[in-house]
Amino acid sequence: HDQIRVRLDYRSRYAKHQFYGVRWSVSESEPNVAEDDRVKLSALHHVGPFAIENTNAGYYRDFASEKASFKADETFKYGDETLKWSQRDWQPVQVNDLPIKNEGVSVNVLHVSLESPKKQSVDMLLGTTDGHVVTLNKKRVAESRDEGSIRPLNKIYKLELNKGSNELYIKVITGSRDADFSYAFRSPAVALPEGVVRLANTPREKRSETEARSLQTYYRQVVCSHPAW
């Protein structure tokens, strides 16, 4: 389908005007990225929930293989439980539910591999109930200790990708209430998420409030603000 992108450029003669500068331009399509230059995403895998004694343990303790190489068939002995990776159909942009323990603090770990044809940076937009830790290629690159309900895609983290496979882990630490997360990647090298298409094709009256906010945030943060656009 065709796309039109609009950018406004306006400058007031009044220096203190609240709309002193606005920019406007029009283009007919998104940046053209050759297929060989695109970043390819693996299926999303999940393991958890791990029950822990307090939220601090979630930030300081490693879970599953977040500091090791990913193996889809690996299992993890935790207390009296044996947990394993499961492939999930949790789509980017959409607000997805995570399992939690009935009481106390829960940790869920998500994994996705990003295959990049070259060294480049990609922004990840992330929102979770309560806090999270982001690990890329065995190195912690970001964390948030926010508390409260999810704000979809409200955090933006720059991921420095190596050429080849890049292992990304997202650890979600939930102290109470329902656990939710939403994520998306911002780069012309990353294909439009199926979740965006699905939500855009959902009638407005059938979208939940969080879904509507997630879709709105995606277009404001991704479609409108990337430097290449």
Side-chain angles (χ1 to χ4, degrees), residues 2-7 24-31 228-229:
D2 295 330
Q3 297 188 23
I4 296 178
R5 301 180 185 276
V6 178
R7 188 170 180 173
W24 169 279
S25 65
V26 177
S27 63
E28 295 183 352
S29 62
E30 62 185 5
W229 289 331

Side-chain angles (χ1 to χ4, degrees), residues 46-50 83-85 88 99-101 107-109:
H46 161 263
V47 63
F50 299 87
L83 303 174
K84 63 180 182 179
W85 291 109
R88 301 290 192 177
I100 58 173
K101 294 295 185 181
V107 167
N108 286 276
V109 182

Side-chain angles (χ1 to χ4, degrees), residues 194-225:
E194 291 182 8
V196 172
V197 178
R198 188 175 303 169
L199 282 179
N201 289 333
T202 301
R204 180 178 301 179
E205 63 275 10
K206 293 186 178 181
R207 297 176 197 152
S208 69
E209 182 179 343
T210 51
E211 286 176 335
R213 190 171 39 171
S214 181
L215 187 62
Q216 182 183 64
T217 302
Y218 176 81
Y219 275 98
R220 285 180 173 175
Q221 298 280 30
V222 177
V223 177
C224 298
S225 69

